């Protein structure tokens, strides 16, 4: 086995959203690289997907008590966490924030004591979060947001499902949270980074096109093709591996050049 194929050998890694899409592709890539996958999803993996996890934990990440039970059930000695699970913009706004932001952050912080020194945390953000700098006040207001306060937060800050705003905001806040935690666990060598895919051909791609309408059609026409889960999974695996130890608080665009295209348009380049 080559060095590349041993990149995750001996590592135990938690992957949320492991039953489909990017989560499934990530679990498969981890196994290919020699890692052990602890899969987490609200849906049990079916058919061949069941072979992509070494252990499976069914959990609804919108529920605090369920997350507590999940953390209790997971073993000590975890080498990395890939926060892939998420809801699309067509889901109710409260559910989007609960899963994509509040539950994700809560699970991550609860798991820190079970992570080994040198562990890696990878958050699946999105190109949809690239406008985070324009939402700083709302993001700051969400920093201490808990499960019970999500409904009020959605109303007070107009983070509704209209135009996919709840989804966009969840990814904006996740990118900022990643930046903020660049050195939080540095003494233990635990690092956090994010990946921002563009449109990816998964079961929820249609949800994005439905929500964003003409905007999505324009983006898709600009790209040579939508991404595939196996375009994203190797980058997640890289960030989980010891090859990325000097990356801290980074947000990597994995989008076929779409982020660069938008920057060039914005600045007349």
């Amino acid at each position: 086995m080559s060095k590349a194929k041993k990149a995750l050998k001996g590592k135990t890694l938690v992957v949320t959203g492991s039953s489909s899409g990017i989560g499934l592709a990530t679990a498969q890539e981890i196994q290919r690289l020699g890692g052990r996958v602890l899969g987490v999803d609200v849906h049990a993996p079916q058919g061949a997907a069941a072979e992509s996890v070494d252990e499976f934990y069914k959990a609804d990440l919108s529920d605090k008590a369920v997350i507590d039970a999940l953390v209790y059930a997971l073993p000590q000695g975890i080498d990395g966490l890939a926060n892939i699970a998420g809801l699309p913009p067509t889901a109710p706004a409260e559910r989007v924030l609960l899963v994509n932001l509040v539950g994700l952050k809560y699970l991550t912080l609860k798991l820190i004591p079970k992570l080994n020194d040198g562990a890696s945390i990878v958050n699946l953000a999105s190109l949809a979060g690239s406008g985070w700098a324009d939402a700083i006040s709302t993001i700051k207001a969400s920093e201490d947001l808990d499960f019970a306060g999500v409904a009020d937060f959605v109303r007070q800050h107009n983070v509704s499902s209209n135009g996919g705003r709840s989804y966009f905001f969840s990814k904006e806040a996740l990118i900022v949270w990643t930046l903020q935690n660049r050195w939080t666990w540095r003494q233990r060598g635990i690092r956090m980074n994010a990946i921002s895919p563009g449109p990816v051909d998964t079961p929820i791609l249609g949800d994005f096109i439905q929500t964003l309408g003409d905007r999505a059609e324009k983006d898709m026409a600009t790209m040579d093709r939508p991404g595939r889960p196996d375009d994203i999974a190797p980058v997640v695996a890289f960030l989980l591996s010891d090859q990325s130890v000097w990356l801290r608080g980074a947000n990597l665009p994995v989008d076929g050049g779409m982020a660069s295209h938008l920057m060039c348009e914005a600045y007349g380049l």
Side-chain angles (χ1 to χ4, degrees):
M1 185 179 284
S2 69
K3 183 177 179 180
K5 290 183 178 179
K6 294 180 180 179
L8 297 175
K9 185 174 177 59
K11 290 188 179 292
T12 297
L13 302 160
V14 175
V15 179
T16 71
S18 62
S19 293
S20 64
I22 295 171
L24 171 57
T26 296
Q28 292 170 333
E29 181 70 3
I30 289 169
Q31 287 190 330
R32 188 183 73 82
L33 296 174
R36 176 170 171 252
V37 178
L38 308 182
V40 177
D41 203 297
V42 70
H43 303 294
Q46 301 296 317
E51 299 176 4
S52 68
V53 296
D54 297 281
E55 294 180 17
F56 177 74
Y57 299 80
K58 187 174 182 178
D60 179 351
L61 299 182
S62 71
D63 190 316
K64 181 179 179 180
V66 170
I67 296 174
D68 285 336
L70 169 63
V71 172
Y72 180 81
L74 286 167
Q76 291 281 352
I78 294 168
D79 297 297
L81 167 63
N83 284 313
I84 309 295
L87 293 178
T90 51
E94 292 176 29
R95 291 275 299 165
V96 170
L97 290 191
L98 282 169
V99 174
N100 294 11
L101 184 63
V102 177
L104 182 155
K105 290 167 65 173
Y106 185 74
L107 170 63
T108 302
L109 295 175
K110 291 285 286 187
L111 268 182
I112 293 296
K114 289 195 168 185
L115 297 184
N116 287 331
D117 290 353
S120 174
I121 301 163
V122 183
N123 298 322
L124 191 75
S126 172
L127 180 64
S130 60
W132 62 265
D134 296 324
I136 289 296
S137 61
T138 308
I139 291 170
K140 287 184 175 180
S142 75
E143 287 180 350
D144 297 320
L145 183 62
D146 61 16
F147 292 83
V150 169
D152 286 341
F153 182 87
V154 168
R155 287 192 294 270
Q156 292 171 8
H157 295 277
N158 195 28
V159 186
S160 70
S161 298
N162 293 335
R165 182 60 198 145
S166 57
Y167 181 86
F168 276 64
F169 176 76
S170 72
K171 298 303 184 179
E172 291 164 355
L174 181 57
I175 290 170
V176 170
W177 191 63
T178 302
L179 301 177
Q180 291 173 316
N181 284 287
R182 61 200 177 279
W183 292 330
T184 302
W185 308 284
R186 182 166 55 177
Q187 288 186 331
R188 292 188 55 203
I190 297 173
R191 63 196 185 278
M192 175 184 285
N193 294 289
I195 292 173
S196 284
V200 179
D201 190 5
T202 69
I204 63 174
L205 179 60
D207 295 272
F208 289 92
I209 295 173
Q210 175 186 330
T211 300
L212 302 178
D214 292 342
R215 178 177 177 179
E217 294 291 349
K218 180 182 177 182
D219 287 349
M220 295 294 287
T222 301
M223 302 180 74
D224 57 338
R225 63 170 176 83
R228 297 185 296 263
D230 59 9
D231 291 320
I232 313 301
V235 186
V236 180
F238 165 69
L239 289 178
L240 290 170
S241 78
D242 293 339
Q243 297 172 319
S244 61
V245 295
W246 197 235
L247 283 171
R248 299 171 181 174
N251 175 38
L252 304 183
V254 187
D255 58 11
M258 180 56 71
S260 297
H261 170 73
L262 295 176
M263 290 283 282
C264 286
E265 280 198 331
Y267 293 100
L269 301 175

